Amino acid sequence: SAVGMEPALAPVCPRAVPEGGLFGWLRGRCLGRSAAVDPARDTFRAMTGLYGSIQPADSVYLSTRTHGAVFNLEYSPDGSVLTVACEQTEVLLFDPISSKHIKTLSEAHEDCVNNIRFLDNRLFATCSDDTTIALWDLRKLNTKVCTLHGHTSWVKNIEYDTNTRLLVTSGFDGNVIIWDTNRCTEDGCPHKKFFHTRFLMRMRLTPDCSKMLISTSSGYLLILHDLDLNKSLEVGSYPILRARRTTPTSDITSSGSSGPRAVSSPCHQSDSGPLSEKHMSRSSQREGGSPRNSLEVLTPEVPGERDRGNCITSLQLHPKGWATLLRCSSNTDDQEWTCVYEFQEGAPVRPVSPRCSLRLTHCIEEANVGRGYIKELCFSPDGRMISSPHGFGIRLLGFDARCSELVDCLPKEASPLKEIRSLYSHNDVVLTTKFSPTHCQIASGCLSGRVSLYQPKF
């Protein structure tokens, strides 16, 4: 059923001080949570109502004959182009507004295309199991701008640092590589290995590019704080903040940790076992804060997975940098969970106490179908909703039934995500989904190669 529309909020001003008093109102302004700061704050009510009115029959099907499974979807920043990363070496381009097919890059790579990332409204990058990254220009799609060689295994993830204008990629070789695409020539592109870890699955940059998050198939989540991409991280050179779980029940530095994820440290500091105090002592803390590229290692709490271990298959960041969104599969492959973790900033209460930057706030169990395939989920552009592959369709999830801001409904203990809408229109397992950045539209792609566009009809 459609989500109910709420009455508009009254303008916030010092004379009409809300609950919490004047200081509460001022704090709300600092956090960008006041209508006086964000005039468009209430537009989410209209958008939520539109999303809630979408029917499965409203979906538009996009398909070609030969491209195989859809592994990833990406809109251009202005929402004018939808790109599709396909199993059979192809990249498809559509106009998502008219649902018209624009172009098929039939031999974009020599193997599966895994991920697509726009650098701006015309330049985008693709990566593949053929170990390469390709740069493309929408104005000239008949040929690649250039091909980047540097990985030695399947390349799975592309990020772009808007501050330094550096391209960042990660692959199953365990490497995170930095590329200076502004200095590409016919002979190649200047690049360097920035970081290495075992079992690497996904890598993301926070929206302000101040942190790098890396998920692993062994259940670890690595966070590089105060990120400096211009500084290469050799083995053993990065300071360790602390290695611990997101709850006080376990610490991966202890010998009593249970589950496959505690067998060894994900970082190539040492091949002999978990991170040790010897390695942590290398950290030279800056006064008043952590050193650049400080490494934090966490094993995020996953409901029902405390004794069996898990694999973090999908990793996304809240568009305002407030939280991270994980899709986790149990090592026994019989459960999947979508989990939201709030970022907790600041130094430890005591210098010797374990640091823990993430706290589980919301979660929901997912349909356990399509085993062996990664399901890519996403936040809406305003961060109030989550679109998650669920069997042969997608579920729209909210932090509460009203689709409130995360910061407005943080629970004291982990709470279930609320199902706002379910949309089932595929005839096979959905592997990826994406919100349009500019329109009320959601795209999803499935194992048999169909792309569906969900949008309200008037």
Side-chain angles (χ1 to χ4, degrees):
S1 61
V3 176
M5 303 287 285
E6 297 177 3
L9 295 176
V12 179
C13 64
R15 295 181 187 179
V17 179
E19 184 178 355
L22 179 61
F23 289 105
W25 176 78
L26 290 173
R27 176 167 172 76
R29 283 192 57 179
C30 293
L31 294 174
R33 294 166 54 186
S34 166
V37 174
D38 183 5
R41 177 175 166 80
D42 292 334
T43 60
F44 85 95
R45 293 179 172 84
M47 292 297 286
T48 303
L50 289 174
Y51 284 126
S53 70
I54 294 175
Q55 301 294 330
D58 295 341
S59 59
V60 177
Y61 302 120
L62 311 176
S63 184
T64 63
R65 295 186 299 275
T66 61
H67 59 260
V70 174
F71 285 161
N72 225 298
L73 301 162
E74 184 71 12
Y75 285 88
S76 60
D78 61 3
S80 64
V81 177
L82 173 65
T83 56
V84 183
C86 301
E87 179 183 17
Q88 301 295 339
T89 76
E90 293 183 354
V91 173
L92 311 179
L93 292 93
F94 292 94
D95 178 346
I97 307 305
S98 65
S99 306
K100 301 289 186 182
H101 177 236
I102 299 173
K103 180 81 173 177
T104 294
L105 307 178
S106 57
E107 296 181 359
H109 287 274
E110 296 178 0
D111 208 332
C112 303
V113 184
N114 296 316
N115 194 235
I116 301 174
R117 177 75 178 194
F118 275 86
L119 282 62
D120 53 35
N121 281 320
R122 61 181 181 84
L123 288 173
F124 66 94
T126 59
C127 65
S128 168
D129 282 358
D130 68 7
T131 75
T132 70
I133 301 98
L135 289 180
W136 305 85
D137 191 325
L138 286 176
R139 299 170 299 181
K140 189 181 179 183
L141 289 170
N142 293 330
T143 183
K144 302 173 185 177
V145 174
C146 62
T147 301
L148 312 181
H149 299 271
H151 284 280
T152 58
S153 186
W154 302 346
V155 189
K156 293 295 185 180
N157 202 189
I158 308 172
E159 290 288 280
Y160 184 62
D161 186 336
T162 54
N163 298 325
T164 61
R165 299 177 66 188
L166 295 171
L167 199 68
V168 189
T169 61
S170 67
F172 279 3
D173 56 4
N175 291 328
V176 176
I177 295 180
I178 309 297
W179 310 82
D180 188 351
T181 54
N182 297 308
R183 294 166 55 199
C184 283
T185 66
E186 294 180 356
D187 298 326
C189 180
H191 64 280
K192 63 181 179 182
K193 186 169 77 171
F194 176 72
F195 188 81
H196 182 90
T197 183
R198 290 190 288 260
F199 319 124
L200 190 152
M201 288 294 291
R202 292 291 185 266
M203 173 272 306
R204 297 287 178 190
L205 302 181
T206 53
D208 62 0
C209 301
S210 65
K211 296 181 181 67
M212 177 184 289
L213 279 75
I214 297 171
S215 66
T216 71
S217 59
S218 55
Y220 291 104
L221 186 66
L222 315 181
I223 306 178
L224 283 166
H225 295 270
D226 202 3
L227 189 64
D228 183 0
L229 293 178
N230 294 308
K231 183 179 178 182
S232 286
L233 296 178
E234 301 299 332
V235 173
S237 68
Y238 37 85
I240 307 297
L241 294 180
R242 198 70 170 176
R244 66 158 289 175
R245 202 183 162 115
T246 57
T247 58
T249 58
S250 173
D251 188 323
I252 67 170
T253 60
S254 68
S255 59
S257 297
S258 60
R261 60 192 157 188
V263 171
S264 65
S265 164
C267 306
H268 276 178
Q269 294 261 11
S270 167
D271 292 331
S272 60
L275 299 169
S276 66
E277 293 296 333
K278 177 179 69 174
H279 296 129
M280 295 178 191
S281 65
R282 295 177 184 174
S283 170
S284 55
Q285 294 278 333
R286 292 183 304 171
E287 184 176 353
S290 302
R292 301 300 296 271
N293 296 327
S294 299
L295 177 66
E296 182 179 11
V297 185
L298 302 171
T299 48
E301 177 189 0
V302 179
E305 301 300 320
R306 289 182 176 84
D307 298 323
R308 289 183 294 173
N310 65 85
C311 171
I312 304 174
T313 56
S314 182
L315 168 66
Q316 299 290 340
L317 275 300
H318 190 282
K320 297 179 182 178
W322 293 341
T324 184
L325 176 65
L326 304 183
R327 182 74 167 247
C328 302
S329 300
S330 65
N331 285 346
T332 53
D333 215 20
D334 60 354
Q335 276 186 309
E336 285 192 337
W337 291 85
T338 288
C339 301
V340 178
Y341 299 86
E342 172 203 12
F343 276 109
Q344 299 185 107
E345 300 293 345
V349 178
R350 294 174 296 151
V352 296
S353 66
R355 178 185 177 120
C356 186
S357 289
L358 296 177
R359 181 178 73 91
L360 178 65
T361 62
H362 298 82
C363 56
I364 193 169
E365 189 169 2
E366 297 284 10
N368 185 34
V369 295
R371 297 183 184 185
Y373 285 94
I374 295 173
K375 288 86 174 183
E376 300 286 0
L377 63 177
C378 64
F379 279 107
S380 62
D382 61 5
R384 293 175 182 265
M385 299 178 73
I386 294 165
S387 182
S388 176
H390 191 260
F392 287 13
I394 60 174
R395 289 194 298 187
L396 301 183
L397 306 170
F399 304 116
D400 63 13
R402 300 166 59 194
C403 294
S404 301
E405 290 269 27
L406 175 62
V407 294
D408 291 333
C409 55
L410 285 172
K412 293 182 179 180
E413 298 181 354
S415 298
L417 287 164
K418 304 298 183 184
E419 184 174 327
I420 307 301
R421 195 86 173 89
S422 292
L423 299 167
Y424 297 101
S425 63
H426 289 270
N427 57 6
D428 211 333
V429 178
V430 173
L431 301 180
T432 182
T433 180
K434 189 75 69 172
F435 283 90
S436 167
T438 54
H439 298 83
C440 184
Q441 184 182 80
I442 312 165
S444 62
C446 72
L447 190 56
S448 61
R450 172 173 281 177
V451 177
S452 290
L453 297 179
Y454 307 94
Q455 52 198 19
K457 287 187 177 180
F458 301 99

